[in-house]
């Protein structure tokens, strides 16, 4: 808590787009001191995780040291810790190692975790893509199956080069496009003795289109690009079980595979259940239009961690631009509160939906009227919005040049197989059938 008359103390949990946006605004103000707590000592840029997973970018390219970011802001105290519980009444948070931090304001921005919807085996055997750690594990596993198949081509019959991506939303679609491109361009030229053409990428979704939230034209465009690159799209189909060596689909198909990538859905980070606060859809904290929690003035929930009311009804989507704007807005709201200035509810400035399906294929639906762009123009819009998300974290121009270079060149970045824990495969386990796919 603050000393009487001293700066007010703001405790922020999570340094994603939302928590970091809030901390960076408050860092500039003398009337507050901030404790920013995260279980990692870096901010990670989730929209580019799939590029790390497919060796297009290095992990360092999408992670930024929090210490570096705040080195000139003595009013921001960073704590590397995992918060395990919250008392919203006392405005305290408790960490795994037992420290307790009390604030005048609590800002909860712990983000999401994958939602496996209780699919048997999914949590144990699939590879989610939500954190830098996930992306590095996935990269190693992709490289390992190619190495193993190169050493023993018979493993291809055991599904070594079958990749199953669960979920046809932006995460699954971007991953499918990038993986197909990696196989077709890089792997085909680097593995001289391996029949890389035997590789299969499956994209499975229980809905009836890929990129569900986009328009019908966008569904068709995305499906066309993915099919052109060899992705097999299985719509109206869900994954019933994930085993170490295969997946079972709802239509009875069994696909032999040692790499299932989970982009099937998200829910609030586990901390949400330890807050004593009302949880709505996806376990997210229900907030009022000013992002505070009913009955707990001074306690805010932001970004992916919250169900934020949308003016049209329902909740705002889990997007970087929503999270960043809630962070900025909350900082301003706290400053108004301190000065007893009247304020307005949070208003989201819609930046639209975007997805990159491959180097030459992007889709963007811009603004509230969803003006639709495809191809290079959409790619330019994608760059613009992602540079906006990087504001303050990295130099905008630097980011533009790097990404544009990467887009127009055919280069691939790091291909070190450095996570042997995730890479190692027991080919005897659940891989004993000779049939690659049975219906
Ligand atoms: C693969 C992928 C691709 C995406 N692509 C796009 C895109 O192209 N465009 C777009 O707008 N959005 C995209 N998104 C969504 C966007 O990344 C999220 O909406 C955004 O990151 C949410 O920000 P946040 O600050 O709420 O949470 P997060 O960014 O998840 O940050 C949460 C932070 O809290 C920390 N944390 C969690 N629990 C604890 C704890 N108990 N104790 C301490 N710290 C904790 C985490 O370490 C993390 O730093 C994508 C998401 C994913 C997963």
């Amino acid at each position: 808590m603050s000393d009487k008359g001293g700066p007010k103390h703001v405790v922020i949990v999570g340094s994603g787009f939302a928590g970091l946006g809030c901390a960076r605004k408050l860092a500039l103000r003398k009337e507050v001191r901030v404790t920013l707590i995260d279980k990692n000592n870096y901010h990670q840029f989730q929209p580019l995780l799939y590029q790390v997973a497919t060796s297009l970018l290095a992990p360092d390219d999408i992670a930024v040291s929090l210490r570096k970011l705040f080195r000139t802001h003595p009013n921001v105290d960073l704590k590397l810790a995992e918060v395990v519980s919250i008392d919203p009444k006392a405005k305290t948070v408790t960490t795994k190692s037992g420290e307790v931090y009390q604030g005048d304001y609590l800002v909860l921005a712990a983000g999401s975790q994958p939602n496996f919807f209780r699919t048997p085996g999914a949590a144990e055997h699939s590879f989610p893509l939500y954190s830098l750690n996930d992306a590095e594990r996935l990269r190693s596993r992709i490289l390992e199956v190619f190495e193993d198949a190169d050493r023993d081509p018979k493993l291809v019959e055991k599904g070594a080069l079958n990749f199953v991506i669960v979920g046809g939303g932006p995460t699954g679609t971007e991953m499918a496009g990038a993986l197909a491109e990696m196989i077709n361009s890089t792997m085909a030229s680097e593995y001289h003795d391996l029949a890389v053409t035997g590789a299969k990428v499956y994209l499975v979704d229980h809905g009836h289109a890929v990129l569900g939230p986009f328009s019908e034209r966008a569904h068709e465009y995305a499906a066309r690009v993915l099919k052109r690159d060899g992705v097999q799209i299985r719509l109206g189909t869900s994954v019933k079980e994930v085993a170490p060596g295969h997946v079972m689909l709802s239509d009875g198909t069994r696909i032999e595979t040692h790499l299932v990538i989970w982009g099937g859905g998200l829910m609030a980070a586990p901390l949400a259940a330890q807050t004593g606060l009302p949880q709505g859809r996806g376990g997210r904290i229900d907030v009022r239009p000013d992002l505070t929690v009913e009955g707990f003035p001074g306690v805010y929930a932001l970004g992916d961690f919250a169900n934020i009311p949308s003016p049209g009804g329902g909740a705002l989507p889990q997007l970087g631009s929503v999270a960043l704007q809630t962070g900025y807005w909350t900082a301003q709201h706290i400053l108004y509160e301190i000065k007893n200035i009247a304020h307005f509810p949070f208003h989201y400035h819609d930046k639209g939906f975007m997805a990159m399906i491959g180097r030459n294929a992007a889709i963007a639906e811009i603004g509230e009227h969803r003006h639709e762009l495809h191809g290079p123009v959409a790619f330019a819009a994608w760059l613009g919005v992602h540079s906006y998300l990087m504001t303050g974290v990295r130099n905008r121009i630097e980011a533009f040049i790097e990404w544009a270079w990467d887009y127009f060149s055919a280069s691939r970045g790091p291909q070190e197989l450095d996570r042997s824990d995730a890479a190692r495969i027991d080919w005897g386990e659940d891989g004993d059938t000779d049939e690659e796919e049975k219906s």
Side-chain angles (χ1 to χ4, degrees):
M1 287 276 257
S2 61
D3 302 335
K4 252 194 168 165
K8 295 286 185 191
H9 186 201
V10 183
V11 175
I12 303 176
V13 181
S15 68
F17 290 117
L20 190 63
C22 184
R24 287 183 66 88
K25 284 264 177 221
L26 293 177
L28 305 170
R29 304 299 291 251
K30 289 200 179 71
E31 56 272 56
V32 288
R33 66 185 179 91
V34 174
T35 301
L36 175 60
I37 310 171
D38 201 292
K39 59 185 178 182
N40 298 312
N41 73 344
Y42 53 82
H43 166 80
Q44 53 195 337
F45 193 80
Q46 286 174 347
L48 295 178
L49 287 174
Y50 78 92
Q51 299 212 10
V52 172
T54 53
S55 299
L56 280 167
L57 291 176
D60 277 4
D61 292 335
I62 67 159
V64 184
S65 152
L66 294 171
R67 295 271 166 205
K68 270 192 195 164
L69 276 178
F70 290 102
R71 67 188 182 280
T72 56
H73 297 286
N75 64 333
V76 179
D77 188 12
L78 294 169
K79 294 292 174 224
L80 174 63
E82 183 176 347
V83 173
V84 288
S85 68
I86 285 163
D87 181 342
K89 220 168 174 187
K91 296 202 189 78
T92 57
V93 308
T94 303
T95 67
K96 201 171 180 178
S97 40
E99 296 90 10
V100 178
Y101 299 94
Q102 185 172 33
D104 297 293
Y105 299 92
L106 278 193
V107 177
L108 308 177
S112 301
Q113 62 175 323
N115 189 346
F116 297 106
F117 298 102
R118 299 199 183 132
T119 308
E124 297 82 4
H125 305 302
S126 67
F127 284 69
L129 187 60
Y130 194 73
S131 64
L132 197 57
N133 183 45
D134 292 341
E136 290 179 85
R137 292 179 73 247
L138 181 50
R139 183 181 69 179
S140 284
R141 177 54 79 99
I142 293 171
L143 297 172
E144 180 70 23
V145 291
F146 276 93
E147 293 301 341
D148 287 1
D150 183 59
R151 210 173 45 241
D152 180 1
K154 280 207 201 85
L155 293 177
V156 176
E157 290 161 27
K158 291 188 171 182
L161 297 185
N162 289 346
F163 304 93
V164 178
I165 298 168
V166 186
T171 299
T173 302
E174 288 186 329
M175 188 62 212
L179 183 57
E181 198 175 77
M182 179 183 188
I183 293 167
N184 297 337
S185 61
T186 310
M187 298 327 212
S189 62
E190 290 184 359
Y191 288 84
H192 308 293
D193 299 328
L194 182 64
V196 169
T197 44
K200 288 185 184 139
V201 178
Y202 298 88
L203 181 60
V204 181
D205 194 289
H206 58 69
H208 292 282
V210 287
L211 291 182
F214 289 67
S215 71
E216 218 162 282
R217 263 185 71 212
H219 299 162
E220 286 161 17
Y221 176 77
R224 200 167 56 244
V225 172
L226 291 174
K227 283 181 189 161
R228 180 201 67 194
D229 292 345
V231 176
Q232 301 197 23
I233 302 172
R234 300 284 174 98
L235 296 173
T237 310
S238 51
V239 169
K240 285 286 163 214
E241 186 204 351
V242 182
H246 71 263
V247 290
M248 291 301 302
L249 305 186
S250 55
D251 62 3
T253 305
R254 170 181 165 128
I255 302 175
E256 305 304 315
T257 178
H258 286 77
L259 183 38
V260 177
I261 301 169
W262 194 268
L266 294 173
M267 59 197 278
L271 180 63
Q274 311 304 323
T275 58
L277 296 172
Q279 290 176 266
R281 201 176 144 80
R284 298 180 194 95
I285 307 296
D286 284 331
V287 291
R288 304 189 309 171
D290 68 358
L291 308 185
T292 60
V293 183
E294 182 85 54
F296 298 100
V299 177
Y300 296 79
L302 318 183
D304 277 16
F305 202 58
N307 275 320
I308 301 165
S310 156
L316 291 174
Q318 281 73 57
L319 283 176
S321 44
V322 173
L324 186 62
Q325 289 180 36
T326 59
Y328 289 161
W329 186 90
T330 299
Q332 190 57 56
H333 194 268
I334 288 172
L335 295 169
Y336 282 157
E337 285 266 316
I338 292 170
K339 292 187 173 160
N340 277 323
I341 298 173
H343 36 68
F344 304 97
F346 169 70
H347 175 75
Y348 173 53
H349 297 280
D350 194 339
K351 301 278 173 192
F353 286 137
M354 286 162 209
M356 280 277 283
I357 312 158
R359 248 182 250 253
N360 293 303
I363 292 181
E365 291 184 4
I366 306 288
E368 277 158 25
H369 299 294
R370 295 274 172 263
H371 181 61
E372 192 170 306
L373 307 169
H374 294 172
V377 193
F379 175 71
W382 183 92
L383 268 184
V385 168
H386 286 76
S387 291
Y388 159 76
L389 289 175
M390 276 198 167
T391 313
V393 177
R394 277 185 85 169
N395 180 304
R396 275 185 196 219
I397 294 166
E398 183 196 347
F400 255 119
I401 291 172
E402 268 186 29
W403 289 345
W405 172 251
D406 177 56
Y407 179 67
F408 288 113
S409 74
S411 69
R412 196 161 291 274
Q415 285 175 248
E416 286 87 24
L417 206 165
D418 50 4
R419 294 291 303 269
S420 53
D421 56 324
R424 203 174 308 117
I425 301 166
D426 178 355
W427 290 101
E429 193 182 15
D430 195 13
D432 50 359
T433 173
D434 284 330
E435 284 174 80
E436 178 187 292
E437 187 182 330
K438 296 183 221 160
S439 282

